[in-house]
Amino acid sequence: MTSVYTPSVSVPLDAIAFDAAGIKARLLNLYHPCSVVRYDGQIGMVNQAYVGEVETGRSGLEVLATLPPTPLEQLGDPNFRAFHGIKYAYTTGAMAGGIASTDLVIALGQAGLLGSFGAGGVAPARLEAAVQQIQQALPHGPYAFNLIHSPSEPAMERGAVDLYLKYGVKTIEASAFLALTANLVYYRAAGLSLDANNQIQIGHKVIAKLSRREVADQFMQPAPVKLLKELVEQGLISEQQARLAEQAPMADDITVEADSGGHTDNRPLVSLLPSILKRRDELQAKYQYPVLIRIGAAGGISTPESALAAFMMGAAYVVTGSVNQACVEAGTSDYTKRLLAEAEMHDVMMAPAADMFEMGVKLQVLKRGTLFPVRAQKLYEIYRSYDSIDAIPKDERQRLEKQIFKKSLDEVWEGTVAFFQQRDPSQIERASQNPKRKMALIFRWYLGLSSRWSNSGEAGRESDYQIWCGPAMGAFNEWVKGSYLAEPANRRVVDVAHHILTGAAYLYRIQALKMQGIYLPADFSHYQPLPLL
């Protein structure tokens, strides 16, 4: 048997911290190892892995535990970072309506982090301007754009795909899909090619955000042959691209979205993430993809503890959402940011979604400081109860016009017609033949504008602000209470990312010490964010 030589290095006495502040500073020195030592009857910590004796020559130095370096780059899957060309396994999700703004995406990209622009509900001209602005600021990335499933407005979904192909957008975050669409398959397949070694090259990266196992199945398998054949017949993709698409999964990364703001099934991450990881492994055994699909975690990620929990459960990366819309760079009004900064975990509820109103789909919103969720639910109840606007009782209609719309429903319809004539004229054609469809469009006028009022800070409409928010916002507020991040004006998206990851790595060290039998006082188990230098 051969013995392994372990170097023993002497350490200056002043390099050992025995006080609480010094010990915490050494734990936070994440890029260096740590050793817990006992010397002269005191417990201390030093940023060295191998410790022999104190340089004074006095004996009696005992090493009680050691910790390796814990750089932020080690959190998550290194393949995720390499594939997307980013510094950390941390991304920000696409908050619709441009809440995940160009400023937010650019700030993250300049720091080497991936942000996804909130393209959902954004008019084509504004989306095109956003693509141009982000590409100019980040010519080599990283950045992503959202592609949200739009069952009631398929033209919007196709228009976004055409725009992304026109400008060479290489990464999209696909969200709210209940099933694969021809538009999504078109984007994916159009980016496939073979390299000199006949290996499939992924030109269009897809990050799928979902919360259901059956939806995950579709993204973790190749595109449906039927859709591929239709795209070939339409001349949108080549036969070779169709063949390659039959061998590659529809997504490179799957973001498992738990209890989040906006569209959500309110599922707990501790149950959902392991389920999708298991299903990924089953499908990998079947298809034998050369690159394993990575599974990330979103929904409830807003503190060091939640990020660490996700990584420890096997998440390849983490995604934040609600917390970012309270940041300086977000496309929300100062009034809304203040409401978000005051929110507690219980200050949220479910309300009807504008984009899937007729289907009864709901999303999670802030209830503190706004009447939107109650009023939106009232509209859905009326929609379910009557077949047309004319069927609504007169007194009920008057209450709607006075309390919610603040104008006559006839005026609302005129504005709705003008809106869709520019956005998607087919919506008006369908509504003219279907009175219930017309009622849905009128009610969606309020649901759609309420989020825009929140973003722009529409005066006089504060009680109608629709603010997408999950309980993660309250958890974040509680964590940063008493720190510089408590004030919305100090919340910058890169700072938030840095502190969540730094705190996660720091808390990992605390837990690793416990596994070695070292229990520090309770106040060591809390990471307090300090201003970045």
Side-chain angles (χ1 to χ4, degrees):
M1 181 181 292
T2 58
S3 60
V4 178
Y5 171 70
T6 300
S8 183
V9 182
S10 61
V11 56
L13 182 58
D14 60 6
I16 305 175
F18 296 102
D19 63 300
I23 290 174
K24 200 161 195 175
R26 281 153 181 77
L27 284 169
L28 281 168
N29 195 354
L30 298 170
Y31 289 80
H32 290 82
C34 283
S35 292
V36 180
V37 299
R38 190 194 335 260
Y39 179 73
D40 200 20
Q42 293 181 286
I43 302 295
M45 186 168 290
V46 62
N47 282 131
Q48 289 183 202
Y50 306 113
V51 181
E53 61 180 23
V54 178
E55 284 185 353
T56 60
R58 292 179 59 185
S59 59
L61 184 66
E62 180 184 2
V63 178
L64 304 177
T66 60
L67 296 170
T70 316
L72 305 188
E73 291 86 349
Q74 286 187 357
L75 296 171
D77 189 336
N79 293 322
F80 179 80
R81 294 189 290 107
F83 185 72
H84 293 286
I86 55 179
K87 192 173 183 181
Y88 305 127
Y90 178 106
T91 75
T92 64
M95 294 166 285
I99 294 174
S101 65
T102 54
D103 287 346
L104 187 145
V105 173
I106 290 169
L108 288 162
Q110 290 174 340
L113 297 172
L114 181 64
S116 180
F117 178 78
V122 173
R126 183 184 172 195
L127 179 56
E128 183 168 21
V131 172
Q132 294 172 333
Q133 183 180 350
I134 290 173
Q135 289 186 335
Q136 182 177 5
L138 303 170
H140 305 294
Y143 61 83
F145 279 83
N146 181 229
L147 179 66
I148 192 166
H149 182 37
S150 303
S152 61
E153 296 182 79
M156 288 291 291
E157 185 180 308
R158 177 55 183 270
V161 168
D162 289 341
L163 195 61
Y164 296 156
L165 294 176
K166 173 183 176 181
Y167 283 94
V169 171
K170 301 302 182 185
T171 306
I172 65 166
E173 181 190 42
S175 62
F177 281 84
L178 301 177
L180 299 180
T181 66
N183 298 321
L184 181 59
V185 173
Y186 173 33
Y187 175 83
R188 179 66 165 178
L192 298 176
S193 62
L194 287 175
D195 65 12
N197 298 315
N198 281 328
Q199 298 297 310
I200 296 178
Q201 296 299 296
I202 306 294
H204 295 160
K205 304 172 184 178
V206 174
I207 304 172
K209 187 160 61 176
L210 49 85
S211 58
R212 299 189 179 187
R213 188 179 171 99
E214 65 272 18
V215 178
D217 272 10
Q218 298 178 62
F219 278 98
M220 292 191 287
Q221 297 185 76
V225 174
K226 179 177 181 294
L227 290 180
L228 292 171
K229 291 179 69 174
E230 291 174 357
L231 292 171
V232 171
E233 291 170 358
Q234 295 170 29
L236 296 175
I237 63 173
S238 67
E239 292 187 359
Q240 182 190 57
Q241 287 172 328
R243 288 194 299 271
L244 297 179
E246 293 179 29
Q247 304 171 50
M250 271 298 298
D252 308 290
D253 304 285
I254 303 289
T255 299
V256 175
E257 187 177 30
D259 193 12
S260 65
H263 292 288
T264 179
D265 286 323
N266 306 109
R267 297 184 181 181
L269 188 64
V270 293
S271 301
L272 186 59
L273 180 59
S275 173
I276 302 298
L277 283 167
K278 182 175 183 294
R279 185 58 179 152
R280 185 273 312 271
D281 294 341
E282 292 170 353
L283 291 174
Q284 175 62 24
K286 175 181 179 180
Y287 290 103
Q288 296 292 306
Y289 298 126
V291 178
L292 188 67
I293 298 170
R294 295 167 294 268
I295 310 296
I301 308 297
S302 63
T303 63
E305 290 85 354
S306 55
L308 178 59
F311 285 130
M312 289 298 96
M313 283 194 293
Y317 58 97
V318 295
V319 183
T320 55
S322 295
V323 297
N324 299 315
Q325 62 182 333
C327 290
V328 172
E329 299 90 348
T332 52
S333 65
D334 290 341
Y335 183 92
T336 294
K337 288 171 182 172
R338 176 60 63 183
L339 285 181
L340 288 165
E342 296 171 351
E344 298 183 31
M345 279 189 281
H346 59 268
D347 288 332
V348 295
M349 68 179 292
M350 301 299 291
D355 56 345
M356 300 183 187
F357 177 76
E358 297 94 322
M359 299 167 62
V361 174
K362 293 187 175 184
L363 39 69
Q364 193 157 218
V365 297
L366 187 69
K367 68 178 180 180
R368 180 173 184 162
T370 173
L371 294 175
F372 167 79
V374 176
R375 289 174 171 174
Q377 183 59 35
K378 178 65 175 178
L379 291 179
Y380 185 69
E381 291 170 0
I382 292 175
Y383 173 77
R384 290 288 304 273
S385 301
Y386 303 101
D387 291 329
S388 69
I389 289 293
D390 293 336
I392 301 173
K394 182 178 180 181
D395 58 343
E396 187 75 80
R397 176 168 177 162
Q398 289 176 342
R399 280 194 294 270
L400 292 180
E401 292 176 333
K402 180 179 179 181
Q403 297 175 4
I404 298 179
F405 292 94
K406 298 184 179 179
K407 60 173 63 179
S408 72
L409 295 187
D410 291 336
E411 290 177 292
V412 173
W413 176 241
E414 290 176 5
T416 301
V417 170
F419 174 77
F420 280 110
Q421 289 294 355
Q422 294 184 351
R423 182 183 177 107
D424 184 3
S426 66
Q427 296 289 331
I428 302 302
E429 295 173 12
R430 291 165 57 192
S432 65
Q433 306 299 321
N434 186 336
K436 197 171 183 73
R437 174 68 177 169
K438 177 180 177 180
M439 177 168 56
L441 290 186
I442 289 174
F443 287 178
R444 283 173 56 192
W445 175 93
Y446 173 78
L447 298 174
L449 283 178
S450 56
S451 59
R452 298 181 193 177
W453 293 331
S454 169
N455 296 346
S456 64
E458 183 77 16
R461 280 290 192 171
E462 289 84 357
S463 62
D464 294 299
Y465 284 6
Q466 178 183 175
I467 305 169
W468 302 310
C469 182
M473 190 74 252
F476 178 87
N477 290 334
E478 180 148 347
W479 165 45
V480 302
K481 190 179 299 181
S483 77
Y484 83 107
L485 288 179
E487 175 57 45
N490 294 331
R491 295 185 181 184
R492 297 194 172 275
V493 68
V494 173
D495 281 34
V496 169
H498 170 84
H499 286 302
I500 288 176
L501 291 176
T502 298
Y506 169 80
L507 293 178
Y508 173 80
R509 286 188 146 186
I510 298 296
Q511 295 302 316
L513 286 177
K514 289 181 181 179
M515 295 293 290
Q516 298 181 64
I518 303 297
Y519 290 83
L520 297 172
D523 59 337
F524 278 86
S525 295
H526 304 284
Y527 170 78
Q528 184 81 347
L530 297 174
L532 300 181
L533 299 177

